[in-house]
């Protein structure tokens, strides 16, 4: 099962609608082209956007009359976590992020008796091999903390190798000389934040790039979608400024004065990933 965002909307204490989404971002507003339509004169055409970033929900306000968490009005963005209630008066929207099976899987270590004799690999203190075999495993991004086993030892979250397409790559093709040519692998599951901050997954050390500038999210169909994180200089895809957009092989993504291009592996180039929003 893929990850999901569960949405339940109430109005005056009565349920208005319930829906689930397996993609990000999710738009809320009065316009009929929104993912969740909130028909009320107090609601803006595009009122708020909910995104999934690092397996948590992020709310971005786009409205005139405001979006609220509790009594606090959201200014720009708000980290909601995995569950919370967003208020867009007169509506209350309960949001829940449910991780998928791939994110719940944890490494199953193959325990072997320590080899004996000269040249044997050193054993760890608990008797397990110092370097367990991960030949059939690969890393999973954004594995939730709740998936960790109750153990004092550190573990690595992984997923079993499948025949799903490999991840795409971002390559810097224009900008400061020290950045050009850098490549960043996008996640197989979850999202990657682009920004100047050391916390960003795709770190672009340039003053024209915001600390957290944009987020790219892997979609259920294997494609990717980019969302602007309320950046100072915006996000352009093939020269067009966007708040969010599906990405395709060869797209030029501009953040500040830095241009990156999306490279699909051969397996993806002929697929259907990245359909238009």
């Amino acid at each position: 099962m893929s990850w999901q965002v569960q949405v339940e909307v109430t109005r005056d204490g009565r349920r208005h609608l319930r829906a689930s989404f397996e993609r990000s971002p999710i738009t809320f507003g009065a316009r009929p082209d929104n993912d969740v339509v909130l028909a009320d004169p107090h609601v803006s055409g595009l009122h708020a956007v909910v995104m999934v970033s690092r397996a948590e929900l992020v709310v971005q306000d786009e409205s005139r009359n405001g979006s609220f968490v509790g009594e606090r009005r959201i200014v720009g963005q708000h980290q909601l976590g995995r569950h919370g209630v967003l208020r867009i008066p007169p509506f209350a929207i309960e949001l829940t992020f449910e991780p998928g099976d791939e994110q719940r899987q944890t490494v199953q270590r193959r325990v072997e008796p320590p080899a004996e004799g000269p040249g044997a690999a050193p054993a760890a203190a608990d008797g397990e091999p110092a370097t367990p075999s991960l030949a059939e495993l690969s890393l999973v991004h954004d594995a939730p903390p709740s998936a960790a086993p109750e153990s004092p030892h550190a573990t690595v979250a992984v997923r079993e190798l499948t025949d799903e397409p490999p991840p795409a790559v971002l390559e810097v093709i224009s900008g400061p000389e020290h950045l050009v040519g850098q490549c960043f692998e996008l996640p197989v599951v979850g999202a990657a934040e682009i920004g100047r901050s050391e916390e960003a997954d795709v770190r672009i050390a340039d003053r024209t790039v915001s600390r957290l500038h944009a987020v790219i999210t892997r979609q259920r169909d294997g494609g990717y979608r980019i969302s602007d994180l309320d950046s100072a200089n915006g996000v352009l895809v093939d020269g067009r400024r966007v708040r969010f957009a599906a990405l395709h092989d060869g797209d030029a993504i501009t953040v500040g004065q830095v241009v990156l291009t999306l490279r699909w592996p051969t397996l993806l180039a002929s697929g259907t990933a990245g359909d238009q929003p």
Side-chain angles (χ1 to χ4, degrees), residues 138-259:
S138 64
L139 289 177
V140 155
H141 298 255
D142 295 329
S146 59
E150 295 181 3
S151 167
H153 303 292
T155 59
V156 181
V158 300
R159 66 176 179 85
E160 296 180 359
L161 288 176
T162 68
D163 57 358
E164 69 177 1
V169 171
L170 284 178
E171 180 183 353
V172 180
I173 59 173
S174 179
E177 186 176 349
H178 70 281
L179 293 175
V180 174
Q182 287 191 23
C183 293
F184 305 89
E185 186 177 284
L186 293 176
V188 172
V189 177
E193 292 175 327
I194 303 172
R196 193 178 72 248
S197 168
E198 292 185 358
E199 299 175 359
D201 304 293
V202 178
R203 187 171 181 237
I204 307 294
D206 183 81
R207 61 183 180 82
T208 64
V209 177
S210 298
R211 292 187 70 260
L212 291 178
H213 198 107
V215 61
I216 294 180
T217 308
R218 186 76 181 261
Q219 303 297 291
R220 188 185 182 191
D221 64 359
Y224 290 92
R225 192 173 179 91
I226 191 167
S227 304
D228 186 0
L229 293 178
D230 202 24
S231 63
N233 292 319
V235 174
L236 282 72
V237 175
D238 287 342
R240 180 173 62 95
R241 185 158 184 167
V242 299
R243 296 296 294 176
F244 38 83
L247 296 175
H248 305 83
D249 182 40
D251 279 352
I253 303 163
T254 305
V255 290
Q257 295 180 358
V258 178
V259 183

Side-chain angles (χ1 to χ4, degrees), residues 44 46-49 60-64 67 76 228 230 243-244:
S44 298
L46 174 61
H47 199 103
V49 178
Q60 181 165 302
D61 180 57
E62 301 282 353
S63 70
R64 176 178 298 179
S67 303
D228 186 0
D230 202 24
R243 296 296 294 176
F244 38 83

Side-chain angles (χ1 to χ4, degrees), residues 53-71:
S53 177
R54 299 190 180 188
E56 292 193 342
L57 299 170
V58 179
V59 180
Q60 181 165 302
D61 180 57
E62 301 282 353
S63 70
R64 176 178 298 179
N65 293 325
S67 303
F68 302 82
V69 174
E71 298 302 317

